[in-house]
Amino acid sequence: MKFRVTENENISTVFLNGEIDMDIADNVREVIFPLIDAGKEVHLNLKDVQYMDSSGISVLVESNQRAKEKNTKVELKEVSQPVEKVLAMARKFL
Amino acid sequence: MSTEASDQTNLSEKKDFLVNSASLKDVRSFSREVFEKFKIKKDLREELVLAIAEAAQNIVKHAYKDYPDTQDRMAVRISCTDKELEISFFDKGKPVEKSKVKHRAIDDVKPGGLGTFFIQEIMDSIKFKEGDKPWINNLVLTKKL
């Protein structure tokens, strides 16, 4: 997985790339969680994520919960079609 | 990857993988190759890949929960007729307790069980069987085409 982070005042935008599965999920947590813990508002850009499974959804849910605890927020910005399909299925469940 | 039959009405491909999370991308690659070869509809392929990857992930996470460094292998077999796709998983991990394989209650905000929910959403049937030796578990997923 590749990623880059841009900063604009208190907003960190994380651009993720590739496929997010169980093997990669901890790497994604290591990118996102420190930003949340630092009190940043985190925007996730998933337009270049070609595959995401339940482990990736878990990272999004955990990030959202963690952000609430830190009085900040995580927002999804651009989302690829494959990820949108998985999110739509997950919304029936979550 | 081995081909067990090759006529157009009964195709079957099988491959084994080391049981660990790093193998999941190989499971997906294998599945995509087979669906291309079997000429499965494109809009269905990635859903099926997700279901297969979630089932393989469950083997890594649950059947081998206490053995993260195992050198055991799991096998995935994809078979196809004109009317139905059958995907079988074989592993030698902890026997599946069927009563524990379910997605969690909807009011529980934790994401655990989501993978099983995805499999249920995508596939038409899910059956757990005892595996024939040397296998312990045999999960069979089917989807009408």
Side-chain angles (χ1 to χ4, degrees), chain A residues 19 21 23 54 92-93, chain B residues 21 28 54 57 106 114 121:
Chain A
E19 301 197 330
D21 65 6
D23 197 41
S54 61
K92 295 183 193 174
F93 180 70
Chain B
S21 62
R28 296 196 297 274
E54 294 289 357
Q57 184 181 148
I106 200 75
L114 182 59
E121 281 287 294

Side-chain angles (χ1 to χ4, degrees), chain A residues 19-23 50-55 57-59 61-62 65 85-87 89-90 92-94, chain B residues 21-22 24 28 32 46 50 53-54 57 60-61 103-104 106 109 111-115 117-118 121-122:
Chain A
E19 301 197 330
I20 300 176
D21 65 6
M22 178 188 179
D23 197 41
Q50 295 309 313
Y51 172 89
M52 179 184 280
D53 66 9
S54 61
S55 297
I57 300 290
S58 293
V59 174
V61 171
E62 290 165 25
Q65 290 174 339
K85 278 189 173 180
V86 175
L87 284 170
M89 208 172 355
K92 295 183 193 174
F93 180 70
L94 295 170
Chain B
S21 62
L24 296 174
R28 296 196 297 274
R32 288 173 181 134
E46 278 304 303
L50 178 63
E54 294 289 357
Q57 184 181 148
V60 175
K61 276 169 74 174
H103 59 77
R104 57 156 180 76
I106 200 75
V109 294
L114 182 59
F117 175 77
F118 284 167
E121 281 287 294
I122 294 164

Side-chain angles (χ1 to χ4, degrees), chain A residues 25-84:
Chain A
D26 278 344
N27 297 357
V28 181
R29 289 183 179 92
E30 286 170 11
V31 174
I32 298 172
F33 286 4
L35 298 169
I36 296 170
D37 292 348
K40 298 288 184 96
E41 179 176 323
V42 177
H43 293 183
L44 297 176
N45 188 311
L46 306 179
K47 73 179 172 61
D48 293 322
V49 175
Q50 295 309 313
Y51 172 89
M52 179 184 280
D53 66 9
S54 61
S55 297
I57 300 290
S58 293
V59 174
L60 300 183
V61 171
E62 290 165 25
S63 297
N64 192 44
Q65 290 174 339
R66 198 177 184 101
K68 282 181 181 170
E69 289 166 12
K70 302 286 180 183
N71 293 316
T72 182
K73 61 181 176 180
V74 173
E75 288 187 5
L76 292 182
K77 290 301 177 181
E78 293 181 77
V79 176
S80 67
Q81 191 179 22
V83 172
E84 183 52 51

Side-chain angles (χ1 to χ4, degrees), chain B residues 15-67:
Chain B
K15 190 170 183 178
D16 60 83
F17 306 87
L18 193 62
V19 180
N20 64 34
S21 62
S23 294
L24 296 174
K25 64 178 181 300
D26 300 324
V27 171
R28 296 196 297 274
S29 296
F30 164 71
S31 304
R32 288 173 181 134
E33 282 175 29
V34 172
F35 293 144
E36 171 86 29
K37 187 173 178 179
F38 288 4
K39 297 182 169 43
I40 301 297
K41 285 181 193 169
K42 284 187 179 174
D43 60 350
L44 187 58
R45 287 182 199 171
E46 278 304 303
E47 283 189 9
L48 293 168
V49 168
L50 178 63
I52 291 171
E54 294 289 357
Q57 184 181 148
N58 281 345
I59 294 172
V60 175
K61 276 169 74 174
H62 302 299
Y64 283 85
K65 183 182 177 185
D66 300 322
Y67 304 95

